[in-house]
Amino acid sequence: MQIPDLSSTIVALATPPGVGAIGIIRFSGPRAIIITDKIFKGKRLENQPSHTAHFGKIMADDGRILDEVLVTIFKGPNSYTGEDTTEISCHGSPYILQEIIQLCLKHGARMADPGEFTLRAFLNGKMDLTQAEAVADLIASESAASHDVAIRQLRGGFKHEIQKLREELIHFASLVELELDFGEEDVEFADRNDLKSLVNQIREHLCPLIQSFALGNAMKMGVTTVIAGRPNAGKSTLLNALLNEERAIVSDIPGTTRDTIEEVLNIRGIQFRLIDTAGIREAQDTIEAIGVARTMEKIEQAAILVYVWDVAGGMTLAEVHADLAALASRNSVPGGTNSSNGVPRSTNSRNGVPGYIVVCNKMDRNPLFQTAWLLDPTLPGVHPYLLGDEDLTTFKKLSNLPNSSFIIHHSSLIPVSAKNAMNIEYLKEKLFEAAAGEGVNTESIIVTNARHHDALRRADEALADVLTGLDSNITGDFIAQDIRRSLAYLGEITGEIGVEDLLGNIFGKFCIGK
Ligand code: GDP
């Protein structure tokens, strides 16, 4: 991206194109007020104080009145972009808007590029990159949760955290660099153990930020959750129970859910897009075959797979394993499968990567699940010893397999009765955990942006290299290099260093006029 010439004055429609009660045309640049004055008949705007609004007319070159308008003026640096800015609020007719913009172009303004107002705000030091990105997120926010994280980021919470980490690192770097200056003399200004503990401390700060991305991404984008399982397992009934309404068609005949059904479920601010799928058994007829093909497509995109196991239907745990392994092999979400052996990861995997949940449905009709439930209705998960003998043997066999990380962790097994709405709230809690990670604090700083997440991860990797370097006593210049690498990644987040290549990527996604 070309860094814009800040001596030019830009103009754009700031409201959506089309007919509206009002439309707003926005200017920014050194000649913003002068150009507006040329087409505005009313008070002379140049002589008015900043942050004032003025009523008047916009006149065409041939003397026609184009519209009666309200002009607001903001003088730099106290404006959104940091430059002189005006906003013309006129009637929202596409003709009027077009004519006024044409007039401005004639008088020396140029059309703004997408995101150029916010880019100028960044270049003029009015906001850092994370805040500029938050503006885009704010405009795009569709839910209370995504709005909430964007507002927090816009107010700069993330920036301060990054700056603090950078300061600590710079302090560390200066100690190492100081040693380099005295390289010949073999001095050590900083005790190696102190340095290690400093790096560890910084990594401890980075870690929750990196981990918060699972929640941040879920809040921003929603979570695609596929409900899969064999026909008649109770998928549609479960969807209804989760949504607390009759949405999907429930029937006794296998294969009656013919198409995929998508619904949005809000759990503690995260939007889960629940997709009920047609049965995954062999399709019996053509319509159902289409449903099955769609199911497979959805499974490929799912972040969480809820597998419904009819525990009253005689299906064994080994068969559940086989179904899950087959489903996981189709899922393209990283973490959906364990890359080393292609089998699904449970939601309890150490890094909290979203994966699958096995819902043991129809617990009301299986004495093993039922007894446990009746004895202790608060029972959170069902334990292996509650499984039938045959299943238990399979379970044991699987868990003893060398090199097999694939056993269904018992806390991923959630007994419910979809029909009787038993244990549904607990299942919702598990869904939230699967998306956000366990024990997350929605009040702390949450990283929502993939670019930030990536930079944080790389900064952390560079610090891991610093530690390895310290352990293997490599020379100070290599350590200094790794520290600088880490600093550069952190600087990229807020836009303090080397971000020219990124600008096009970030601001190109904005709408024109922002
Ligand atoms: P799907 O094909 O997986 O979508 O299954 P449905 O939701 O259509 O359910 C199949 C049958 O199982 C229906 O007759 C449901 O009423 C029944 N069913 C679903 N959940 C339960 C449950 O928790 N207990 C019992 N006893 N029956 C259930």
Side-chain angles (χ1 to χ4, degrees), residues 365-380:
R365 287 185 48 210
N366 182 329
L368 287 163
F369 286 85
Q370 196 177 21
T371 317
W373 173 259
L374 289 177
L375 282 177
D376 180 5
T378 60
L379 186 77

Side-chain angles (χ1 to χ4, degrees), residues 203 206 210 456-466 485:
R203 292 189 78 197
L206 279 177
I210 295 171
L456 287 169
R457 244 181 359 89
R458 286 167 195 265
D460 187 56
E461 272 166 22
L463 289 181
D465 290 344
V466 172
R485 197 153 51 92

Side-chain angles (χ1 to χ4, degrees), residues 309 317 360 368-369 372-373 376 378-389 391-392 395 408-415 426 430:
W309 173 21
L317 189 59
C360 309
L368 287 163
F369 286 85
W373 173 259
D376 180 5
T378 60
L379 186 77
V382 71
H383 296 278
Y385 61 79
L386 291 172
L387 301 172
D389 280 346
D391 282 346
L392 192 57
F395 188 92
I408 302 176
H409 197 278
H410 61 76
S411 57
S412 298
L413 291 169
I414 321 278
Y426 178 71
K430 281 286 172 185

Side-chain angles (χ1 to χ4, degrees), residues 230-237 250-252 257 361-362 364-365 417-419:
R230 296 194 178 186
N232 249 8
K235 299 180 291 298
S236 314
T237 315
V250 178
S251 102
D252 278 332
T257 312
N361 190 32
K362 308 194 188 178
D364 55 309
R365 287 185 48 210
S417 169
K419 195 174 167 181

